[in-house]
Amino acid sequence: MNQFAYTKSGKYIDLSLIYSECSGPGGLRLTEFMAEKMQVRPGARLLDIGIERGYQTCFLAKEYDLLVIGIDPDDDRADGVPHIEHLQRNARAWGMEDRVIGLKLGVPETHFAGNTFDFVHSTTTLEMVRGLFGVDNYRKCLAEIYRILRPGGIFGLGEPMHHDIPIPADLLPIYTKGGGVGPEGWADCFATVAETANLCRAVGFNVLESDYAPDAWNWWDEFIHNDPHCKADPEGEAKIIQQDGGRWLSYGYVIAQKPHQ
Ligand SMILES: C[S@@+](CC[C@H](N)C(=O)[O-])C[C@H]1O[C@@H](n2cnc3c(N)ncnc32)[C@H](O)[C@@H]1O
């Protein structure tokens, strides 16, 4: 039995539930991985960007004793309900209503005051912005995150990234066909860890750590077996990810700090 998305505490083991409330590889284990890398501390104020149904947002609030503001501009693709309403539902279920706030907005224009957050966390979100709106817009998102973090604040970015190799020949026609945020547009969405870290440096961050997640491929494999959309369409995205097999596709992270002034 795969168990790469299980948290270390062993408290969260229902992968079907986790993957139906999250959207992307890694589930709560990804969030735990990021929180540890970011060294979040109790009582801190964390912004979570791109929350889907807010499951990871509530996990951050509960397990790390944080005040979490979750932002997402979109509605759920399965039921059309705004993501922040799903966050409210989860906040009730997790007993976190006093520590989780949802706002229907997105990057790059958050309208938060500068120097507001101790931590900013974003997983499997900004690569979609890059795919849809281009790398200049991606850079604007990073600059906005830099602006709203307080000096010394930490940004944890996790997203699908590709190994620093050319796209394998059999996958090239699929990944470069163009079109949205699915596999046919992934050549436009994804970058290497080095490219992503350099973009963070370009807007002013000090990069503390950046790498491919050791469990990246296991998270992807688990995603295709548990994500409800993959399960409903095994011949679609799931088949392409399986064909890749971790040759080009991976999952990377960057932990970056806004310099102390
Ligand atoms: C693939 S989901 C990732 C959810 C979750 N963070 C995870 O790791 O599973 C991407 C989320 O980003 C949201 N999103 C899309 N554009 C956004 C933007 N400009 N700003 C913030 N969130 C955005 C989508 O609505 C969706 O909920």
Side-chain angles (χ1 to χ4, degrees):
M1 182 169 55
N2 285 342
Q3 52 181 18
F4 293 101
Y6 291 3
T7 56
K8 287 181 185 166
S9 67
K11 268 200 272 177
Y12 304 94
I13 58 168
D14 186 343
L15 294 186
S16 183
L17 171 66
I18 291 169
Y19 277 98
S20 64
E21 292 291 312
C22 305
S23 175
L28 294 183
R29 176 67 192 115
L30 163 65
T31 316
E32 182 180 64
F33 176 84
M34 294 299 298
E36 287 174 2
K37 291 285 180 193
M38 294 165 72
Q39 298 185 21
V40 297
R41 46 172 199 285
R45 189 187 296 170
L46 181 146
L47 176 69
D48 191 14
I49 300 176
I51 59 167
E52 191 72 20
R53 295 182 166 191
Y55 208 65
Q56 292 151 314
T57 316
C58 291
F59 173 79
L60 282 167
K62 182 157 188 152
E63 293 299 324
Y64 298 94
D65 197 13
L66 301 164
L67 172 67
V68 187
I69 291 84
I71 62 170
D72 199 302
D74 294 339
D75 301 337
D76 194 283
R77 65 177 155 151
D79 60 16
V81 171
H83 282 136
I84 58 159
E85 286 186 25
H86 279 293
L87 172 65
Q88 285 162 10
R89 169 179 59 78
N90 269 315
R92 272 194 302 279
W94 285 68
M96 286 293 108
E97 281 177 293
D98 58 340
R99 270 192 280 150
V100 167
I101 296 167
L103 293 169
K104 191 170 170 57
L105 54 88
V107 281
E109 277 109 26
T110 68
H111 309 291
F112 290 117
N115 306 325
T116 295
F117 296 98
D118 303 304
F119 295 93
V120 174
H121 165 267
S122 188
T123 55
T124 322
T125 294
L126 297 189
E127 83 285 355
M128 295 170 44
V129 174
R130 184 207 309 257
L132 288 169
F133 304 112
V135 71
D136 281 349
N137 197 276
Y138 186 90
R139 206 178 288 113
K140 271 188 200 156
C141 295
L142 297 180
E144 176 71 349
I145 291 165
Y146 183 89
R147 186 185 70 78
I148 61 182
L149 266 172
R150 67 164 179 74
I154 300 288
F155 173 39
L157 171 65
E159 64 187 38
M161 296 187 201
H162 66 78
H163 291 298
D164 196 3
I165 56 162
I167 301 176
D170 60 313
L171 294 164
L172 190 63
I174 301 170
Y175 286 155
T176 57
K177 220 185 275 178
V181 295
E184 296 181 348
W186 280 356
D188 294 332
C189 291
F190 303 165
T192 64
V193 167
E195 287 164 345
T196 311
N198 280 337
L199 284 173
C200 290
R201 288 188 189 99
V203 301
F205 281 112
N206 292 330
V207 173
L208 304 181
E209 186 179 347
S210 62
D211 208 342
Y212 295 95
D215 278 338
W217 177 249
N218 297 317
W219 291 345
W220 277 113
D221 191 48
E222 208 164 61
F223 169 77
I224 59 182
H225 290 102
N226 292 282
D227 174 76
H229 302 284
C230 286
K231 283 200 283 188
D233 181 18
E235 292 301 303
E237 186 171 303
K239 193 171 174 184
I240 296 165
I241 295 170
Q242 220 144 21
Q243 185 179 333
D244 183 306
R247 288 175 293 156
W248 183 75
L249 180 62
S250 184
Y251 199 97
Y253 66 95
V254 177
I255 308 299
Q257 184 170 36
K258 179 169 174 173
H260 294 276
Q261 283 165 347

